[in-house]
């Protein structure tokens, strides 16, 4: 009997597995550090004497820098390649954390937040775009679900830990851990090949014009889901920035939210591949709004934690549904996937920044009973508008029938 000549999976499969593993490692590192600092920085800002509005300003600055760099990420990815792009994002996220213990003024903290925002902007677009490129449309919902679940696990660990360490005044440890988790992004980048993006064929002027028109149409088709995404992440910015400042039950509530998000992302991915994103988006958005409103129950821990779990369950499903709807509106083309990844992340980060920035003054004026229900009402209104628009004649459909 001759010896077996089986050498395992082909090189293309091995490369995809390595890239998938690298993407998930990087996702865990990047979002663990992000949630760690996001939950600890409000208390650090207050300790430094810049108050709740200053805390909101730091988060808004980080998200503004994220928004600034995101439109340029396809150009960066094409020139640096996936590996170097991820590595650079990890360096920009991690290195400023080493300087944070030495600064306490608003200008210095804002500058470091801006640098971290540039890294975060590259990182989040890379995670979404690279994951979408690795899998065919019929499996994309589940792939995004797994990616989102890893992101959620990072939040389960990062957010409560950041609050707990901040309450003990262990800010140096918070920032050291954030730098260490950013190093996981560099480690994950090694799973991608050294080569840059494939060279795109040259286009004529008419070809470039056609491509621009196609991009514009894709953006119009995905506008509704992206507005829902922005409104849901505005709620996310409000909940995660200001809940730690309004209730002693915040660590348990944020833990419940993150745990529910993990389970929701996994389940929603399977449901989206089977039924499509639109049937999932409406109930998920309503759950997110109700969970946000429960933040007003700052003196009722049971209701607060239950509402946070409902928020997490809805929020996780909204993320998966809106992303899949955006990817399908863009079409299964590399440049289309890149546009969808950038647009979706701009909606995510823009919404988070708006919620963090606007939430501070609203909290000072009306307290939790005003801030959280008002945020929930905004999300509900946007969800209703998107639902109406989706059924207007000749509006177009952002969703192809789900694959069997």
């Amino acid at each position: 009997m001759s010896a077996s000549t089986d050498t395992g999976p082909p090189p293309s499969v091995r490369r995809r597995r390595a890239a998938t593993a690298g993407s998930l490692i990087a996702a865990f590192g990047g979002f663990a550090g992000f949630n760690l600092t996001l939950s600890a920085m409000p208390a650090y800002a207050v300790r430094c004497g810049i108050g709740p509005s200053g805390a909101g300003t730091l988060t808004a600055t980080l998200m503004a820098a994220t928004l600034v760099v995101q439109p340029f990420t396809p150009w960066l990815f094409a020139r640096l390649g996936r590996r170097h792009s991820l590595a650079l994002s990890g360096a920009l996220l991690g290195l400023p954390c080493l300087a944070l213990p030495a600064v306490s003024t608003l200008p210095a903290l804002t500058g470091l937040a801006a640098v971290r925002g540039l890294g975060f902007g590259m990182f989040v677009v890379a995670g979404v775009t690279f994951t979408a490129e690795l899998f065919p449309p019929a499996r994309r919902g589940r792939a995004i679900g797994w990616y989102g679940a890893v992101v959620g696990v990072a939040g389960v660990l990062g957010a409560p830990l950041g609050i707990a360490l901040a309450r003990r005044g262990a800010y140096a440890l918070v920032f050291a851990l954030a730098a260490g988790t950013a190093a996981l992004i560099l480690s994950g980048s090694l799973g991608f090949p050294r080569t840059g993006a494939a060279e795109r064929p040259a286009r004529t002027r008419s070809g470039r014009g056609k491509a621009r028109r196609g991009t514009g149409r894709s953006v119009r088709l995905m506008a509704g889901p992206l507005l829902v995404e922005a409104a849901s992440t505005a709620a996310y910015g409000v909940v995660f920035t200001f809940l730690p400042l309004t209730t002693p039950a915040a660590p348990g509530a944020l833990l419940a939210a993150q745990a529910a998000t993990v389970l929701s992302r996994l389940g929603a991915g399977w449901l989206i591949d089977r039924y499509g994103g639109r049937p999932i988006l409406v109930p998920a958005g309503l759950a997110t709004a109700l969970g946000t409103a429960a933040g007003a129950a700052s003196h009722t821990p049971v209701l607060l934690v239950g509402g946070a779990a409902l928020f997490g369950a809805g929020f996780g499903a909204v993320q998966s549904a809106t992303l899949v709807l955006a990817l399908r509106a863009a079409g299964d083309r590399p440049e289309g996937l890149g546009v969808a990844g950038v647009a979706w992340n701009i909606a995510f980060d823009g919404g988070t920044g708006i919620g963090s920035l606007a939430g501070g003054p609203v909290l000072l004026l009306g307290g939790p009973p005003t801030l959280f229900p008002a945020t929930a009402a905004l999300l509900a209104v946007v969800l209703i508008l998107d639902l109406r628009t989706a059924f207007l004649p000749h509006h177009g459909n952002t969703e192809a029938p789900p694959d069997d």
Side-chain angles (χ1 to χ4, degrees):
M1 182 180 293
S2 60
S4 173
T5 59
D6 184 15
T7 59
S12 60
V13 174
R14 292 198 298 269
R15 285 194 297 269
R16 188 173 74 175
R17 288 177 179 175
T20 302
S23 176
L24 295 179
I25 291 170
F28 177 82
F31 280 97
F34 174 78
N35 282 281
L36 189 70
T37 53
L38 184 68
S39 58
M41 284 305 294
Y44 187 66
V46 171
R47 196 190 79 159
C48 292
I50 60 178
S53 294
T57 298
L58 293 180
T59 303
T61 298
L62 185 144
M63 305 321 299
T66 298
L67 290 171
V68 167
V69 76
Q70 283 177 345
F72 302 99
T73 51
W75 180 86
L76 288 169
F77 297 161
R79 280 146 185 81
L80 298 179
R82 294 171 175 173
R83 174 182 288 193
H84 292 154
S85 297
L86 270 177
L88 178 59
S89 71
L92 292 174
L93 268 173
L95 291 177
C97 294
L98 301 177
L100 279 171
V103 300
S104 59
T105 63
L106 182 58
L109 291 171
T110 301
L112 292 175
V115 175
R116 295 189 71 242
L118 295 176
F120 190 63
M122 293 181 60
F123 166 72
V124 293
V125 175
V128 168
T129 304
F130 297 170
T131 300
E133 290 174 349
L134 288 171
F135 292 89
R139 296 175 58 193
R140 200 165 282 154
R142 279 163 285 185
I144 290 170
W146 277 105
Y147 178 86
V150 170
V151 170
V153 169
V156 167
L157 298 176
L161 181 60
I163 295 174
L165 292 175
R167 289 184 172 175
R168 288 166 173 78
Y171 296 106
L173 180 56
V174 169
F175 302 142
L177 288 173
T181 55
L184 291 177
I185 302 176
L186 278 69
S187 175
S189 70
L190 299 178
F192 290 91
R194 294 179 180 272
T195 56
E199 185 177 353
R200 295 177 182 176
R203 285 177 174 166
T204 63
R205 181 177 299 179
S206 61
R208 288 193 295 269
K210 183 178 180 181
R212 283 194 294 269
R213 289 191 296 273
T215 299
R217 180 179 181 275
S218 297
V219 171
R220 288 193 298 273
L221 289 175
M222 65 179 78
L226 292 181
L227 285 175
V228 175
E229 170 67 8
S232 72
T233 55
Y236 171 83
V238 166
V239 168
F240 277 81
T241 300
F242 299 107
L243 202 62
L245 302 179
T246 59
T247 174
L254 296 186
L255 178 61
Q258 295 286 11
T261 298
V262 173
L263 298 176
S264 175
R265 293 294 290 260
L266 288 173
W270 181 84
L271 290 171
I272 289 167
D273 280 344
R274 186 169 181 84
Y275 300 108
R278 178 65 62 183
I280 307 303
L281 182 58
V282 175
L286 291 175
T288 306
L290 290 173
T292 302
S298 56
H299 300 295
T300 311
V302 173
L303 181 58
L304 186 74
V305 173
L310 182 63
F311 170 85
F315 182 73
V318 167
Q319 304 314 293
S320 293
T322 54
L323 179 54
V324 168
L325 287 169
L327 290 168
R328 286 178 175 170
D332 194 28
R333 299 169 291 109
E335 58 269 30
L337 297 179
V339 169
V342 170
W344 186 85
N345 277 288
I346 287 175
F348 185 108
D349 300 325
T352 304
I354 290 170
S356 301
L357 186 62
V362 175
L363 180 63
L364 289 175
L365 289 173
T370 298
L371 174 61
F372 295 104
T375 306
L378 173 65
L379 174 55
V381 168
V382 172
L383 188 66
I384 292 170
L385 292 175
D386 172 61
L387 187 61
R388 290 185 60 189
T389 303
F391 289 99
L392 286 177
H394 311 301
H395 171 70
N397 189 5
T398 61
E399 182 156 38
D403 298 284
D404 293 329

